[in-house]
Amino acid sequence: MGVPRSTGCLLCVQRRVKCDEGLPGCTKCAKYGRPCPGYDRGFKFVAGKPHRSRRRPGSKTAVDDTHHLVDISSGKASQAMQQTLVRRASSLWLRSADTNVMQGLDILIGDVCQPFPASSTYTTSRWFTFLPTIYGKNRTLDSSIRCFVAHHIGRITGNKQAIVYAKSTYVEALSRLQRSLYNLTESLSSEVLCAVLLQCFYELFTNAHDSTSWMKHADGLGRLVRVRGCDSYHTEFDHTLLKASRGLIIMHSLFSKERCFLASSNWQSMMKQQLDSTFPTAFYTQVEELFALYTTIPCFIHKFFELRHADPAHETTQLKASELLNEALDMQTKLTTWYDKFRHTAPLPTEVLSSMDDTLYPIVYSFTDVDTAAIFAAYYSYMVTIHAILGACRYPGEHAAMVVYYRDQICMSVEFNAQGILGPSRLGFPLLVVNEFADPPTKLWVHGWLQRLSKTYKVMLPQNYER
């Protein structure tokens, strides 16, 4: 059960190119500049009890197999025989479920970083690199890892059995998580926090039927982060988990109309600590400065929508509008000051022709790396929000034009940011902002991107973006 349709190597299957299926590795991978990962699919899913088929008269023995291996090395074996032997060899050394998971994790981590160098991955993807070292330490986390890895392997190889296995393992992971949360010691462990984060990502990638399912996990994730307290994030792993979680926590605050607790000074101080040397200090510091400002965006949006639906003639509305105007002007100053520093730290984007022949945005932005691209998109999104508020408060200036300008800056950065399996997660909020302030052609453009991205990241189905 679970034999993939394609017989090409894993990298060629992922890149959707025709594999020449050579041994020991295909030439397509060599030309691509990556070592060929081979032809094994990472997981074997077997239904029912294992059995041994009877040997028929005249069947080949192990001696025959050895003879064919010699033929392969001399180039005499047929391509079909090569594929058969590769699969047979794989079945001999992939009997352990743990081995399957570790190989799947290796593929997952490689895919998370693609098409960018591993050195260009910020905490949104870097936390995946910790998973191989902690697998086997906690049953709740182990089942969560198996679930997520199986889904990924099943998706890239077209293995429906892997997808089914992922779903059943997800049920197991949820059951184990419930028991873990009732254990006072285990509930506050790093492994359980990681399991909740993985399960939230699984919902984002897979649930096309309930657009709020990830919110339940994000709510639990935020509560768990908060209950553990600021003093629980002094190791590199815990600190990375915190930073990988905070985007989901902010989005939950946005949709639940709650204040984001990460905006408080003690959490801000914790998040600004640099426990790894992966990034230059100047870049790291300025990214954290923007994120500190970003934690306040749910409050701005809540007040903005409240103002839009309030009676403008009412005295209370006018008072709230005045307060919101002052806050928006202060934030505009902070964002402008931040940008003036960041533009001298990180290279500005360059204009290039769209690789997708985009008719609405034929010129798009190219960035030096995905981290910089994501940060610029976050800045553009906040500036759209601020200028929309200033316009709603009737503050002097061309705010409607500035909303369109920064909206278009987001759109020009989408093509670059959308790359890789985590591309959709980087675009969740920016595309939400664009959709909110889009004219009809831009709204159609957004829906086209949502349709494309939701093929792998189900939460981005177009209907989920309509209020």
Side-chain angles (χ1 to χ4, degrees), residues 222-294:
R223 291 173 183 270
L224 188 55
V225 166
R226 199 173 190 174
V227 168
R228 294 180 86 227
C230 290
D231 294 335
S232 300
Y233 305 95
H234 291 296
T235 67
E236 186 178 351
F237 176 51
D238 280 300
H239 202 65
T240 303
L241 285 178
L242 172 62
K243 291 187 175 181
S245 303
R246 59 191 184 178
L248 295 168
I249 293 171
I250 290 176
M251 290 299 286
H252 176 265
S253 297
L254 177 64
F255 289 115
S256 64
K257 299 182 180 180
E258 298 175 0
R259 177 182 175 84
C260 182
F261 69 88
L262 294 176
S264 62
S265 58
N266 55 340
W267 284 103
Q268 294 291 325
S269 299
M270 166 55 63
M271 291 187 293
K272 287 179 181 178
Q273 296 179 18
Q274 184 172 4
L275 300 184
D276 63 88
S277 56
T278 308
F279 302 96
T281 301
F283 179 84
Y284 183 93
T285 300
Q286 289 173 24
V287 168
E288 290 306 315
E289 286 177 358
L290 179 64
F291 203 91
L293 300 176
Y294 217 65

Side-chain angles (χ1 to χ4, degrees), residues 128-359:
F128 283 96
T129 63
F130 288 90
L131 297 183
T133 61
I134 59 176
Y135 181 73
K137 293 184 177 180
N138 179 277
R139 290 185 177 183
T140 299
L141 177 57
D142 289 353
S143 55
S144 301
I145 290 175
R146 288 197 301 272
C147 161
F148 196 85
V149 170
H151 171 76
H152 179 69
I153 297 299
R155 187 183 64 81
I156 66 173
T157 61
N159 188 326
K160 293 182 179 180
Q161 265 64 42
I163 302 294
V164 171
Y165 175 83
K167 291 179 179 179
S168 64
T169 311
Y170 181 55
V171 174
E172 175 193 342
L174 287 173
S175 178
R176 289 191 179 279
L177 176 62
Q178 188 175 31
R179 292 197 295 269
S180 295
L181 292 175
Y182 279 105
N183 185 309
L184 294 179
T185 302
E186 187 182 2
S187 63
L188 301 180
S189 68
S190 307
E191 290 78 17
V192 168
L193 176 62
C194 187
V196 175
L197 182 59
L198 265 175
Q199 291 182 24
C200 188
F201 265 81
Y202 178 78
E203 289 283 355
L204 290 165
F205 272 97
T206 65
N207 200 327
H209 308 291
D210 183 3
S211 61
T212 64
S213 61
W214 72 271
M215 284 274 290
K216 299 170 186 175
H217 281 288
D219 182 28
L221 183 66
R223 291 173 183 270
L224 188 55
V225 166
R226 199 173 190 174
V227 168
R228 294 180 86 227
C230 290
D231 294 335
S232 300
Y233 305 95
H234 291 296
T235 67
E236 186 178 351
F237 176 51
D238 280 300
H239 202 65
T240 303
L241 285 178
L242 172 62
K243 291 187 175 181
S245 303
R246 59 191 184 178
L248 295 168
I249 293 171
I250 290 176
M251 290 299 286
H252 176 265
S253 297
L254 177 64
F255 289 115
S256 64
K257 299 182 180 180
E258 298 175 0
R259 177 182 175 84
C260 182
F261 69 88
L262 294 176
S264 62
S265 58
N266 55 340
W267 284 103
Q268 294 291 325
S269 299
M270 166 55 63
M271 291 187 293
K272 287 179 181 178
Q273 296 179 18
Q274 184 172 4
L275 300 184
D276 63 88
S277 56
T278 308
F279 302 96
T281 301
F283 179 84
Y284 183 93
T285 300
Q286 289 173 24
V287 168
E288 290 306 315
E289 286 177 358
L290 179 64
F291 203 91
L293 300 176
Y294 217 65
T295 56
T296 63
I297 204 168
C299 283
F300 271 107
I301 292 178
H302 298 159
K303 293 177 181 179
F304 174 51
F305 280 101
E306 183 181 345
L307 183 64
R308 286 174 68 174
H309 295 96
D311 179 5
H314 199 281
E315 183 179 350
T316 303
T317 303
Q318 294 175 1
L319 178 61
K320 290 182 178 180
S322 177
E323 293 175 351
L324 181 57
L325 173 60
N326 290 332
E327 292 173 4
L329 288 171
D330 179 58
M331 182 56 67
Q332 183 187 31
T333 301
K334 290 177 179 177
L335 287 169
T336 302
T337 301
W338 174 87
Y339 182 76
D340 287 341
K341 290 189 298 181
F342 189 70
R343 65 194 298 269
H344 291 100
T345 301
L348 295 174
T350 56
E351 295 184 350
V352 298
L353 289 173
S354 167
S355 63
M356 304 174 67
D357 296 323
D358 195 309
T359 55

Side-chain angles (χ1 to χ4, degrees), residues 352-390:
V352 298
L353 289 173
S354 167
S355 63
M356 304 174 67
D357 296 323
D358 195 309
T359 55
L360 190 60
Y361 293 95
I363 304 297
V364 297
Y365 282 147
S366 177
F367 300 84
T368 54
D369 57 81
V370 67
D371 301 316
T372 304
I375 294 303
F376 272 107
Y379 166 74
Y380 300 148
S381 302
Y382 213 155
M383 290 301 284
V384 168
T385 305
I386 293 301
H387 280 287
I389 292 173
L390 294 177

